[in-house]
Amino acid sequence: MNSVTVRVPAKVNLQLAVGPLRGDGYHDLVNVFHAVSLFDEVTAVAETGMSVRVEGESADQVPEDDDNLAIRAAVALARHAGRSYGVSLAIRKAIPVAGGMAGGSADAAAALVACNELWGLGLPLEDLMEIAADIGSDVPFALLGGTAVGTGRGERLTPLEAAGPFHWVFALADGGLSTAKVYAECDRIRAEEGLPVAEPRAAGALLAALRDGDAKALGAELTNDLQSAALRLRPSLAATLEAGRGHGALGALVSGSGPTCAFLAASAAHAGELAGALRDAGVAREVLTAHGPVPGPAVV
Ligand code: C5P
C-alpha cells in the first residue's frame, strides 16, 4: 500500500470546566468532547523525507513545516517504531483553523492512523493514544471520536453514552484565537476577581441529557469556562451568541477556546433555519450545520 486517506471529525465541547493553573502551565479540566460531522481529510503517501501540503478552508494559516501537528505526529510515530520512515501528507481542511474545534488535533490524529496503516505498523489504539497525548491535549479525543469526558489536561478519556443525533450550527469567525492566549486571559480574569478556583467537576444533568438524547436539557447545560476569556479577546462574539439565542437555539456557547460559536438546534430542519437566520444577521464569516456524535478517524 503506498497511499492511505483518513477522514477525521471536528469536536465541540459540551462542558469545559477549567481548574486552577498547574505547576506545568496546564489546567486540570473536565472536558466533555463531542465529535461532529465536519471533516478534514489527510492522505499519506510513502516518500523518503517528511513533508506536508495543506489546502481548503483557511489553508494559508496552517504551517507547512515541522510545526504542523500532522507532521509532528508522523515524526513521533516513526520514532516510536524506531525506524526512519518517510511520508508526504496532504491535508484537505474543512474544520476552521485555530477555531476551537480541534482541527489541528484532528489532523494529527488522522496522520497517526494513516501512517500506522501506510507503514504497516499495526499499533493498537492505546499506543497511538499515548503518542497523541504528547502532541497535544485534544489529540487523544480526536483518535477516539464519539462523546467522551476528558480529565487531567483533557487527555485521560472515558467514553460517554450519548443517544443523539444532536443537531448543531457553527458560526465561523474571521481569523483564529490562540488556545494558550485564551487560557492566559482566563487566568487573568480569575486573578482580577480574586475568588478561589474550584476543582472541575462533570455536570450530572449534562451527562443525563446526553444519555437520554434530550436536546432541550442538553442546551440548557452547555457551559464553557473559557467563554468569558474568548469574549474579552473577541468582543464581537457576544453579538453572534445573542443572535443564535434570539433565533431559538436551545443552547449557545463558544466552542473550546473559540472563536467558533456553537448552537444546539432541536432538529435538522431547525438547524437549517437557524443557520439561515445567522447568515442573514451577518454575525459570522461563514455558517455551517453538522450533527453529532460521529465516530473518530476512519480510513476511506
Ligand atoms: O496541549 P496543547 O498543546 O493543545 O495546549 C495548548 C495550550 O493550551 C497549552 O500550552 C496551555 O497554555 C493551554 N492548555 C491549558 N490546560 C489544558 C490544555 C491546554 O492551559 N488542559
Side-chain angles (χ1 to χ4, degrees):
M1 195 180 310
N2 59 10
S3 170
V4 178
T5 296
V6 170
R7 197 172 82 132
V8 62
K11 62 87 180 157
V12 59
N13 306 87
L14 307 180
Q15 181 191 2
L16 181 43
V18 180
L21 179 63
R22 311 194 314 203
D24 65 357
Y26 286 88
H27 299 74
D28 275 321
L29 305 178
V30 164
N31 197 347
V32 179
F33 295 104
H34 182 69
V36 294
S37 61
L38 203 64
F39 300 97
D40 277 4
E41 243 177 46
V42 176
T43 299
V45 177
E47 272 291 348
T48 45
M50 295 266 184
S51 65
V52 64
R53 247 177 333 104
V54 188
E55 61 171 45
E57 157 70 31
S58 302
D60 55 332
Q61 290 167 43
V62 182
E64 289 186 324
D65 56 19
D66 294 351
D67 284 342
N68 186 287
L69 285 180
I71 281 288
R72 281 172 49 193
V75 168
L77 183 64
R79 191 175 304 136
H80 179 94
R83 298 276 298 275
S84 59
Y85 293 108
V87 70
S88 149
L89 296 171
I91 302 176
R92 182 127 61 85
K93 292 216 62 76
I95 306 173
V97 176
M101 298 192 76
S105 300
D107 299 342
L112 287 175
V113 171
C115 292
N116 190 36
E117 185 89 12
L118 182 75
W119 298 335
L121 299 176
L123 292 176
L125 181 63
E126 1 165 13
D127 286 28
L128 297 183
M129 292 285 244
E130 263 179 46
I131 302 168
D134 284 339
I135 298 164
S137 307
D138 288 355
V139 185
F141 174 73
L143 275 174
L144 200 64
T147 306
V149 57
T151 56
R153 282 187 291 127
E155 86 287 15
R156 289 206 303 265
L157 294 167
T158 308
L160 292 175
E161 231 182 284
F166 294 102
H167 298 279
W168 296 92
V169 179
F170 295 103
L172 278 52
D174 273 320
L177 276 176
S178 147
T179 302
K181 283 188 184 153
V182 175
Y183 273 100
E185 187 66 29
C186 174
D187 291 336
R188 214 168 293 131
I189 292 172
R190 288 172 166 185
E192 285 167 18
E193 287 171 345
L195 301 170
V197 179
E199 287 305 321
R201 295 185 47 185
L206 180 122
L207 303 185
L210 274 171
R211 213 171 34 234
D212 299 344
D214 185 339
K216 192 153 179 256
L218 182 62
E221 289 297 327
L222 299 172
T223 58
N224 178 0
D225 283 356
L226 292 179
Q227 182 157 308
S228 52
L231 285 171
R232 264 240 297 232
L233 294 173
R234 197 66 73 80
S236 62
L237 297 181
T240 311
L241 292 172
E242 206 36 57
R245 289 190 195 104
H247 285 98
L250 301 178
L253 84 176
V254 169
S255 179
S257 53
T260 305
C261 292
F263 304 92
L264 185 59
S267 63
H270 181 216
E273 287 161 25
L274 186 54
L278 287 167
R279 280 186 203 108
D280 292 346
V283 290
R285 171 171 64 84
E286 193 178 343
V287 183
L288 305 171
T289 58
H291 61 89
V294 295
V299 175
V300 292

